[in-house]
Amino acid sequence: MNQMTKVPVREQDPKVRATNFDEVCLGYNEDEAVEEASRCLNCKNPLCVAGCPVSINIPGFIAKVKERKFEEAYQIISESSALPAVCGRVCPQESQCEGKCVRGIKGEAVAIGKLERFVADWARENNIKPVNESAKNDKKVAVIGSGPSGLTCAGDLAKKGYDVTIFEALHHAGGVLVYGIPEFRLPKDKVVAKEVENVKELGVKIETNVVVGKSVTIDELIENENFDAVFIGSGAGLPRFMGIPGEQANGVFSANEFLTRNNLMKANLDDYATPIMKGRKVAVVGGGNVAMDAARTALRLGAEVYIVYRRSEAELPARVEEVHHAKEEGIQFHLLCNPTEILVDDQGWVSGMTCIKMELGEPDESGRRSPHEIPGSEFTLDLDTVIMSLGTSPNPLISSTTKGLEVNRRGCIVVNEDTGASSKEGVYAGGDAVTGAATVILAMGAGKMAAKGIDEYLSNK
């Protein structure tokens, strides 16, 4: 084997996968995983661990894979992560653990994410569960939201002996893992549902169809139902729009709605009464992972799909792997372009979109080069569907119904950066409800930090 390059990962053929919702990446088998694990240098100062938001003992679990001790590898990962099969699939490893890998200095980094996925899948297929031997205590904690931050916080607190109940607004647990990420990247029944079950195995209770702020308020949970602490992991489900003419037309979706209808409400299946317009020509406005997910979903529904993004390919915020997969599948990229108007026919439906070409100026305060319009460069795309993927903000329902909960101008909950504690005593928060839309693993890191903060708070109370 070549120690400088990763063991290749098998994938569905692009022409085939563009017509189905089966998982694109097929992962490693046992021999491939052992071969890739043998590339790890087992550094004395493992920078990969420092690059992981939940601090998994990466050299430790990889060493066990190398020895074919897969169950031991799984238990090492489970000490730090409640969702290894999810993270192995959707984490931006290239900018985190693998981005810090010493092996990557002169060659390719060890495929840490693919090894984590292999271990988690092996454990699921062999019915291996995470170990929890903590004695129960008499403290109750409520967790709002069953997305990655909520599941992580709940799992960590259960391991410390707390009586934890998750309250989920939707009818399925999993949050953005269920409604936001497509099946071809993250299988729902095979992966998400099983990892949720593993959290429940730790003793966590999950109540679905509970909209906190309407069904019950946080104040009522504390005052009437005797919860000793609350963690808010309600995500950021409020979509943003551009405010351009025609944006209210039929055939304009937020990426959130489009993906939720397909992922959670099964609109892609003919035998489900949850239809979504299956556009002939679809434009997705935006360049992040959610934009790629929406575009690749529309493609699988039979559309010709364009990505419209106002910066260049170098500035695309989506993972390199997702952009690569989208291009392979035939999605067309209109880069350095920005919509100015959505055209509407006599019936109120989208008929096209006017765009203007852009050029990049000097870097702004964040270091990104600001785009500027090129006068006279307008052109029109012939479309019947537009999907806006411009980011999301937290829903104001919880903050508006909770006394003493401070939020910033973007509606995000203000917390202590070291503990996750909010301005309201006993109430903690993390994930997208605090940061705005971000990654699964960062939300998990926030849930882990808050669990530690809640444990310290209740231990000292």
Side-chain angles (χ1 to χ4, degrees), residues 20-215:
N20 67 53
F21 280 82
D22 297 335
E23 193 167 12
V24 169
C25 179
L26 305 178
Y28 286 145
N29 60 31
E30 289 189 11
D31 290 338
E32 290 166 339
V34 171
E35 184 178 350
E36 180 61 23
S38 70
R39 297 182 61 236
C40 178
L41 299 172
N42 198 22
C43 305
K44 289 183 178 180
N45 178 25
L47 300 178
C48 55
V49 177
C52 173
V54 295
S55 302
I56 291 171
N57 178 1
I58 293 168
F61 97 76
I62 291 180
K64 295 300 181 185
V65 173
K66 197 185 305 186
E67 298 170 13
R68 293 185 182 266
K69 295 179 179 178
F70 304 135
E71 182 172 353
E72 292 181 35
Y74 176 70
Q75 296 302 347
I76 289 172
I77 296 173
S78 295
E79 291 172 6
S80 303
S81 174
L83 306 169
V86 169
C87 290
R89 288 168 163 83
V90 303
C91 266
Q93 291 98 2
E94 66 278 2
S95 62
Q96 292 177 163
C97 54
E98 293 180 20
K100 299 286 195 296
C101 178
V102 172
R103 174 64 81 184
I105 294 173
K106 293 185 177 179
E108 290 184 332
V110 175
I112 298 168
K114 296 298 188 288
L115 290 174
E116 181 182 20
R117 168 191 165 145
F118 163 77
V119 170
D121 287 355
W122 184 92
R124 182 185 67 249
E125 290 159 7
N126 288 275
N127 202 32
I128 305 300
K129 302 292 183 182
V131 174
N132 181 23
E133 298 174 345
S134 298
K136 297 291 183 185
N137 61 41
D138 60 353
K139 302 279 177 55
K140 288 173 60 179
V141 181
V143 172
I144 315 304
S146 63
S149 65
L151 290 170
T152 299
C153 184
D156 277 18
L157 288 170
K159 289 177 184 177
K160 297 177 186 293
Y162 290 94
D163 179 357
V164 185
T165 303
I166 295 177
F167 296 98
E168 167 56 48
L170 298 175
H171 57 287
H172 279 297
V176 70
L177 307 175
V178 171
Y179 73 75
I181 303 176
E183 186 79 12
F184 55 81
R185 278 219 294 141
L186 185 62
K188 306 299 171 255
D189 292 337
K190 185 177 85 171
V191 175
V192 179
K194 298 295 185 186
E195 302 234 293
V196 170
E197 282 302 313
N198 284 345
V199 172
K200 291 169 73 173
E201 292 261 349
L202 296 171
V204 174
K205 298 182 286 292
I206 301 179
E207 295 188 22
T208 55
N209 298 307
V210 180
V211 182
V212 173
K214 282 201 168 185
S215 309

Side-chain angles (χ1 to χ4, degrees), residues 373-395:
E373 295 182 354
I374 300 175
S377 63
E378 291 86 356
F379 65 98
T380 299
L381 289 173
D382 176 28
L383 304 169
D384 51 36
T385 303
V386 175
I387 300 170
M388 292 291 181
S389 182
L390 306 170
T392 54
S393 303
N395 189 309

Side-chain angles (χ1 to χ4, degrees), residues 297-453:
T297 296
L299 182 82
R300 284 159 171 77
L301 293 174
E304 181 180 335
V305 185
Y306 311 104
I307 290 277
V308 178
Y309 181 62
R310 63 185 187 146
R311 289 183 166 94
S312 72
E313 184 165 350
E315 285 83 23
L316 277 169
R319 293 181 67 191
V320 171
E321 181 180 55
E322 300 308 316
V323 175
H324 171 67
H325 282 159
K327 286 183 174 180
E328 276 190 329
E329 292 166 6
I331 288 167
Q332 301 171 54
F333 283 69
H334 284 285
L335 301 173
L336 289 168
C337 296
N338 206 36
T340 57
E341 181 179 1
I342 295 170
L343 306 178
V344 185
D345 66 17
D346 294 341
Q347 305 300 312
W349 290 89
V350 172
S351 63
M353 186 167 72
T354 302
C355 302
I356 190 166
K357 293 182 179 180
M358 312 290 284
E359 59 184 357
L360 295 179
E362 295 301 313
D364 59 20
E365 292 177 359
S366 68
R368 298 183 82 190
R369 295 173 66 195
S370 301
H372 303 285
E373 295 182 354
I374 300 175
S377 63
E378 291 86 356
F379 65 98
T380 299
L381 289 173
D382 176 28
L383 304 169
D384 51 36
T385 303
V386 175
I387 300 170
M388 292 291 181
S389 182
L390 306 170
T392 54
S393 303
N395 189 309
L397 180 61
I398 287 178
S399 59
S400 65
T401 58
T402 307
K403 296 173 189 172
L405 190 66
E406 183 185 351
V407 297
N408 63 22
R409 60 182 178 81
R410 295 187 297 132
C412 298
I413 299 168
V414 176
V415 300
N416 181 299
E417 293 182 0
D418 297 320
T419 64
S422 76
S423 56
K424 185 178 180 69
E425 185 181 353
V427 176
Y428 291 68
D432 291 2
V434 169
T435 61
T439 62
V440 167
I441 190 64
L442 288 176
M444 290 175 63
K448 180 172 283 290
M449 178 183 70
K452 184 172 181 286

Side-chain angles (χ1 to χ4, degrees), residues 210-224:
V210 180
V211 182
V212 173
K214 282 201 168 185
S215 309
V216 66
T217 66
I218 286 176
D219 294 322
E220 288 168 345
L221 289 173
I222 295 170
E223 295 164 13
N224 302 341

Side-chain angles (χ1 to χ4, degrees), residues 14 263 290 322 413 454:
N263 299 336
V290 176
E322 300 308 316
I413 299 168
I454 289 170

